[in-house]
Amino acid sequence: MLGNTLLIGGGQVDLAFAKEYIRKQDFDTVVCADSGLDTADRLALDVDYAMGDFDSVSTKIYQKYHQMQTAFVSYPPEKDATDMQIVLEWAVEQGAEEIHILGATGKRLDHFLGNVNILMIPLQKGIRTYIVDPYNRLYLVKKKASFEQDHVFGKYISLLPLTEKVTNVYIRGLKYELQGADLAIGNSLGVSNELAMECTKAELTFDDGILIVIESKD
């Protein structure tokens, strides 16, 4: 069982933000996807598992963590899934209870969109999984979610359909409420909401579909 898991990918990571974020969490397990190992070293983290083809990891760091207690899992560079998907599937299989991902955003939009899509893997197992960077916390929900003033990541809350349609959406306690609306791909209706001034908690429910939730800061 991996418990509360930190997964570090190969994308850009703001080190100052990452250090503060990790300090506030209580991670049981640290897992790196390929060059995420270099980031872990810059953060001075002990790493429990490192997985990948390691073609983009510096030799020095690779050897350093081999001499430590890190367990390495290697696979060939030619594969049908990204390093992040392989590691995420493995973490789900190994019993992660919650997963926080750093290094999943950055310059490559193809990788970022791919990382959003593979959040379906833990969602299907009921494992809450967050993609986090200095300005955003992103996760998927089905059926319902709540937003508490003391726990939202940023001021703005956006709801975007991952599936073609998300049906019968009710939002109570946000500045812009919905009463049984459908959110569909091709429409920006759910972008940039926020908690209503008088509310400390908001509730979201819907019948069918998958929503991307993005809690954002300016």
Side-chain angles (χ1 to χ4, degrees):
M1 299 291 287
L2 301 184
N4 191 22
T5 301
L6 173 64
L7 199 168
I8 304 177
Q12 291 180 324
V13 175
D14 182 297
L15 297 182
F17 163 77
K19 288 177 181 177
E20 182 66 13
Y21 187 81
I22 293 167
R23 186 187 66 80
K24 292 178 179 179
Q25 304 296 324
D26 185 20
F27 290 117
D28 302 300
T29 308
V30 177
V31 185
C32 292
D34 206 70
S35 59
L37 194 63
D38 285 327
T39 300
D41 183 66
R42 291 194 290 271
L43 292 168
L45 292 176
D46 292 330
V47 175
D48 298 289
Y49 301 93
M51 305 178 66
D53 52 41
F54 304 110
D55 58 349
S56 53
V57 178
S58 71
T59 301
K60 180 180 177 181
I61 300 305
Y62 182 81
Q63 292 175 345
K64 175 182 176 179
Y65 277 94
H66 254 296
Q67 293 168 2
M68 299 168 68
Q69 298 300 311
T70 302
F72 277 75
V73 179
S74 299
Y75 43 78
E78 293 80 16
K79 51 193 181 296
D80 294 328
T82 62
D83 291 319
M84 184 69 79
Q85 178 175 340
I86 292 170
V87 176
L88 190 58
E89 288 176 333
W90 177 87
V92 168
E93 292 169 0
Q94 296 301 312
E97 295 173 358
E98 186 169 287
I99 303 170
H100 297 243
I101 304 175
L102 299 175
T105 61
K107 295 179 180 178
R108 290 282 300 270
L109 289 179
D110 53 346
H111 280 294
F112 169 66
L113 291 174
N115 290 335
V116 173
N117 274 270
I118 63 174
L119 293 183
M120 285 291 295
I121 297 166
L123 182 72
Q124 291 168 346
K125 299 291 186 180
I127 302 169
R128 179 60 63 89
T129 301
Y130 303 96
I131 290 175
V132 188
D133 69 18
Y135 300 101
N136 308 281
R137 180 171 67 179
L138 181 154
Y139 52 99
L140 304 184
V141 297
K142 56 182 178 180
K143 300 295 185 183
K144 61 181 180 179
S146 61
F147 309 97
E148 297 183 27
Q149 188 176 61
D150 293 338
H151 295 101
V152 292
F153 187 79
K155 175 182 178 180
Y156 301 105
I157 301 169
S158 292
L159 307 173
L160 299 169
L162 180 63
T163 50
E164 183 176 359
K165 184 179 288 188
V166 178
T167 61
N168 201 31
V169 179
Y170 282 82
I171 301 173
R172 303 172 183 86
L174 293 184
K175 184 176 180 179
Y176 306 106
E177 296 193 335
L178 290 176
Q179 303 291 330
D182 292 343
L183 298 181
I185 289 175
N187 191 302
S188 61
L189 176 62
V191 172
S192 200
N193 212 330
E194 58 190 89
L195 282 165
M197 187 173 298
E198 71 279 5
C199 291
T200 59
K201 183 177 181 179
E203 300 287 347
L204 161 72
T205 62
F206 54 96
D207 286 348
D208 193 41
I210 303 294
L211 275 176
I212 305 168
V213 177
I214 308 172
E215 300 169 1
S216 300
K217 306 173 184 179
D218 277 327

